[in-house]
Amino acid sequence: MPHNLPKTARNTWLLLGAATLLGLLSYRLWLLGQPWVGLYHDESYYYHWSLIPDFGYYSKPPMVAWIIGLSSSLWGATSAGIKLGPALCWFGTAIALGRIAAKIWNFRLGVLTAVIFYSTPLAGFYSLFATTDAPFLLFWALALLGFINAQQAITAQRDPLLWWLAAGLATGLGLLSKYTMFVLPFSFLVFLVTSPARRAQFQTLGPWLAGSVALALFSLNALWNIDNEFVAWQHTSDIAKLDGQALHPGALFEFWGAQLGIFGLVGGLLIARWWRIWWAEARAKPELLACLLGGAMLLIGISIQALMSRAFANWAAPVTLTLTLMLAAIAAQHLRWVLVAVASNVILLTVFYQWPVILAITDSHQDKRINPWFRVQDWATPIAQSARLTPVDKSLPVASDSRAVLANMSFALHPKQFPGAYWDADSSHIRDYYDQTINFDLLPAAQQQRRYLFALEAPISEAQRASFHYIEPVAVIDNYFQWHPGKSLYLYRVGGFSGY
């Protein structure tokens, strides 16, 4: 493909790309308001973080809470308001990745790269949910863009300092989004030290400025962790579950299969079929090699994690950015096949988005085996509005021993308030942010003595009964959550916490 497109061809690609991207964005924003796209309990949990702005939280850096806080303050404390900010991050990632491809190749491949990424199952699925990966991938892409621009400025003998600054800012913000962002600056370091010509850049201010800015931003979270006994870093270590007892090849293959699934089967097969094309491009274009290196290093690291214990697919989410650029390199010679990969992803996602509607039209029996949307159904609002709960004083703050129940039930009853209290008698281990901040044992005496709506997934235990001077059964809601059919929710009015 020529580097400089004629103006007419450039405008055509711009219109096609803009129409596709804005069409997908509009469709996904519309989906945020549909009844089957409810708040998963993690989203309600992150929203509650946003009500207490801080530089860190129990299990994550603060960026997801900051974005949700901004989004919900502008568009309301609703499901769509919480999801909107993260959804826009995915769109921004597509634009940033397109700019990277345009810098490496040309405008046409830049547009196509943005479309490839935004049509992947990863971007399509997670655009509907508020997760840490939304800002993480945005800042990963922006850091890559700043780094690539700095390298090209050096090659063209222009001042790269502003681009180094941009790379440092994006890297620092990425570190405030997810700790695995550390892989990217390490890949930059490897890229620079492996070439004598590039090593000379360490004699200039740029790399040191970028590193200093990134570390200064990350220090906000590091200081928070020091002040909170490294609780977030400890949680990150805990979920890795490195027992060292045996290797788990099944988990490794499952993880690799998940990476293929979240990128798209057809696109993955094309990358495997024509690997020589993208490999030759990476060898010929150092900027492309720099972009691929971080994702490759992360894939190797998380693969080792999967082999030794377990790994979730989204732990290596930036690999999708790497695969997107590989597929873009192939598009220069096999455009039609790449468009087939894009179309297959869009069709698959559309069917997934409308699956509850399809099941309703076909009058199919619905359960969690055939309708994965049950997992994010809004069960708390109907319960809160149910006539069966008329004896409940809905002004009562919610308490529970379950993070999921507390997050969703509290949001349904009091969307603009932090939950009331958390019951956990085990003081040796902090289970989550609620346990860290609103455990009954940590509350001021006045708050310990007040009344709460105590929501449990099992009848109140003897230990829980012994914790309160006042207990009144209110209601039992059978089959309250379709994801767990047969499970009941037990509601009590409790007060006068007396200790564990």
Side-chain angles (χ1 to χ4, degrees):
M1 289 186 179
H3 189 80
N4 295 314
L5 291 173
K7 185 176 181 179
T8 303
R10 181 184 176 94
N11 289 341
T12 299
W13 274 91
L14 177 61
L15 288 173
L16 288 173
T20 303
L21 291 170
L22 292 175
L24 288 173
L25 174 64
S26 300
Y27 180 33
R28 290 169 185 174
L29 294 182
W30 173 78
L31 285 167
L32 298 185
Q34 300 312 299
W36 63 89
V37 186
L39 278 178
Y40 189 52
H41 63 78
D42 279 347
E43 297 176 282
S44 303
Y45 181 53
Y46 296 153
Y47 167 73
H48 287 142
W49 291 4
S50 75
L51 298 178
I52 305 177
D54 210 337
F55 291 119
Y57 297 91
Y58 164 76
S59 59
K60 303 287 189 300
M63 187 59 67
V64 67
W66 292 354
I67 290 177
I68 289 174
L70 176 62
S71 177
S72 60
S73 66
L74 294 175
W75 288 282
T78 63
S79 175
I82 291 170
K83 295 171 182 282
L84 183 58
L88 294 176
C89 286
W90 290 98
F91 184 77
T93 303
I95 300 302
L97 202 58
R99 287 296 302 152
I100 292 171
K103 300 292 289 186
I104 295 173
W105 292 293
N106 56 49
F107 182 79
R108 177 161 51 171
L109 279 183
V111 171
L112 184 59
T113 299
V115 172
I116 290 172
F117 172 76
Y118 205 50
S119 68
T120 61
L122 176 77
F125 177 77
Y126 281 102
S127 288
L128 303 185
F129 300 96
T131 70
T132 56
D133 289 313
F136 173 44
L137 262 67
L138 173 62
F139 293 122
W140 183 292
L142 289 174
L144 278 176
L145 181 59
F147 184 77
I148 295 307
N149 274 298
Q151 297 307 302
Q152 292 189 341
I154 293 169
T155 302
Q157 297 184 334
R158 300 191 306 268
D159 185 3
L161 197 60
L162 286 178
W163 290 117
W164 279 115
L165 176 61
L169 286 170
T171 300
L173 294 173
L175 291 169
L176 293 177
S177 303
K178 208 167 184 178
Y179 296 127
T180 42
M181 184 72 182
F182 270 112
V183 174
L184 186 61
F186 181 70
S187 75
F188 292 161
L189 178 63
V190 171
F191 176 77
L192 293 177
V193 301
T194 51
S195 164
R198 294 194 291 265
R199 281 199 294 270
Q201 295 181 38
F202 288 111
Q203 300 175 19
T204 67
L205 178 61
W208 302 103
L209 175 65
S212 298
V213 169
L215 289 175
L217 286 171
F218 178 66
S219 69
L220 299 173
N221 179 253
L223 292 172
W224 179 91
N225 268 287
I226 292 172
D227 194 44
N228 288 271
E229 299 179 350
F230 301 97
V231 64
W233 297 350
Q234 182 60 49
H235 170 79
T236 302
S237 175
D238 289 344
I239 63 173
K241 293 187 180 296
L242 294 175
D243 51 35
Q245 296 179 358
L247 298 180
H248 303 81
L252 175 61
F253 288 117
E254 181 181 342
F255 169 71
W256 285 347
Q259 296 310 302
L260 181 61
I262 63 179
F263 179 69
L265 176 61
V266 177
L269 293 176
L270 294 180
I271 289 172
R273 170 66 178 82
W274 285 305
W275 67 270
R276 288 185 177 86
I277 296 176
W278 58 261
W279 178 242
E281 285 286 292
R283 294 180 66 183
K285 294 180 169 62
E287 298 94 337
L288 177 59
L289 180 61
C291 291
L292 303 184
L293 191 57
M297 293 172 66
L298 182 62
L299 180 62
I300 292 171
I302 304 299
S303 294
I304 294 172
Q305 161 72 34
L307 181 62
M308 296 178 66
S309 177
R310 64 170 185 172
F312 296 109
N314 69 311
W315 288 5
V319 171
T320 297
L321 306 184
T322 300
L323 296 175
T324 297
L325 290 170
M326 289 178 178
L327 194 57
I330 292 170
Q333 299 182 33
H334 300 283
L335 178 60
R336 290 183 180 179
W337 278 108
V338 172
L339 293 177
V340 169
V342 170
S344 67
N345 281 343
V346 171
I347 292 171
L348 176 67
L349 284 168
T350 302
V351 172
F352 175 73
Y353 291 153
Q354 301 300 142
W355 190 242
V357 177
I358 295 171
L359 291 176
I361 291 174
T362 57
D363 199 27
S364 301
H365 171 70
Q366 298 195 33
D367 58 36
K368 70 177 183 180
R369 291 172 298 178
I370 63 172
N371 187 359
W373 289 100
F374 277 175
R375 193 176 184 89
V376 294
Q377 75 170 104
D378 181 4
W379 55 262
T381 299
I383 287 177
Q385 296 172 344
S386 171
R388 296 174 64 187
L389 296 190
T390 47
V392 174
D393 179 359
K394 296 182 179 64
S395 66
L396 291 176
V398 180
S400 183
D401 61 352
S402 162
R403 175 172 71 91
V405 171
L406 183 57
N408 280 359
M409 195 71 178
S410 183
F411 180 80
L413 284 173
H414 313 292
K416 296 183 179 181
Q417 298 177 21
F418 200 77
Y422 188 77
W423 194 96
D424 179 19
D426 182 6
S427 61
S428 64
H429 180 71
I430 298 175
R431 293 166 57 184
D432 50 52
Y433 187 63
Y434 298 143
D435 195 11
Q436 182 187 7
T437 56
I438 55 170
N439 189 300
F440 271 108
D441 219 23
L442 301 175
L443 298 178
Q447 293 184 38
Q448 290 180 338
Q449 298 307 307
R450 68 172 301 174
R451 298 286 194 266
Y452 291 89
L453 178 62
F454 200 29
L456 306 170
E457 291 186 297
I460 191 167
S461 67
E462 289 304 316
Q464 289 167 337
R465 285 186 179 277
S467 296
F468 301 100
H469 291 303
Y470 173 81
I471 301 172
E472 176 190 354
V474 174
V476 177
I477 311 299
D478 295 322
N479 302 312
Y480 80 99
F481 187 18
Q482 294 184 73
W483 187 256
H484 295 298
K487 208 166 194 177
S488 299
L489 189 69
Y490 299 81
L491 300 175
Y492 300 85
R493 184 186 289 111
V494 299
F497 177 75
S498 57
Y500 296 123

